[in-house]
Amino acid sequence: EHREQVGKARERAAQVASMNHLKQIAMAFHSHLLDHNKGPATLVELLPYLGDDDKVLLSPAVKDHGERETDYVYFGAGITREALEEVAGAKKVLACDRFDNHGGKMIHAVFLDGHVERIELNDGEPLFGGEHAYLNQQLTKVALQGADG
């Protein structure tokens, strides 16, 4: 029972850290956007805005990152400040966990406005539509295949 509690505590700590990483990514994205008027092509381009801490691009929930530079799927490439203003108020995803980061049970997604949501999965598939339809559409294209920085 003690091991089970420790395991759950570690899992929860990894989830909190992952949410924190996504918030840092959103802040770095907005700083990049202010400096360059458009989002970077890849998450790796945000490293100067993250204090060159490449660990922020890796999910603490993932034990083996392999050769990946990031464990997150990124949707902000090329977004301009003007485009951002046009979607103000809309729930558009900037980045999220790969489906397998948290054992296929859930993902975290950071939205363009900087807030992070936990989204439950059902057998590795998203359980959402409606307000999360955009995320579902984007994730089905790339998240199962893997992220490319």
Side-chain angles (χ1 to χ4, degrees):
E1 186 176 309
H2 176 69
R3 283 187 175 168
E4 184 178 318
Q5 290 175 338
V6 169
K8 286 182 180 183
R10 284 187 179 144
E11 183 178 321
R12 182 67 185 138
Q15 290 177 18
V16 169
S18 180
M19 292 172 67
N20 184 43
H21 285 190
L22 287 166
K23 285 183 181 191
Q24 289 179 59
I25 287 169
M27 288 188 298
F29 170 83
H30 285 282
S31 293
H32 184 282
L33 193 64
L34 288 172
D35 287 349
H36 302 282
N37 197 35
K38 69 176 182 176
T42 68
L43 285 176
V44 174
E45 291 178 42
L46 292 177
L47 282 174
Y49 297 89
L50 295 166
D52 290 320
D53 183 3
D54 59 354
K55 289 184 179 76
V56 174
L57 300 181
L58 299 173
S59 172
V62 175
K63 289 182 174 73
D64 181 11
H65 305 284
E67 297 295 318
R68 289 195 300 241
E69 293 181 309
T70 182
D71 292 318
Y72 301 105
V73 181
Y74 172 61
F75 304 108
I79 292 177
T80 63
R81 280 194 269 179
E82 293 78 21
L84 189 61
E85 290 171 10
E86 289 176 20
V87 298
K91 291 185 83 169
K92 301 289 185 183
V93 176
L94 174 63
C96 67
D97 282 305
R98 292 167 41 92
F99 277 174
D100 58 351
N101 283 6
H102 298 279
K105 298 175 192 170
M106 49 76 62
I107 60 169
H108 296 107
V110 65
F111 292 77
L112 285 171
D113 67 1
H115 84 278
V116 176
E117 291 185 20
R118 174 189 166 116
I119 300 169
E120 301 297 325
L121 300 176
N122 180 24
D123 294 325
E125 294 293 327
L127 268 182
F128 43 77
E131 66 180 302
H132 295 296
Y134 170 84
L135 176 59
N136 187 32
Q137 176 186 4
Q138 297 302 311
L139 284 179
T140 53
K141 291 180 186 175
V142 295
L144 291 174
Q145 300 168 352
D148 64 272

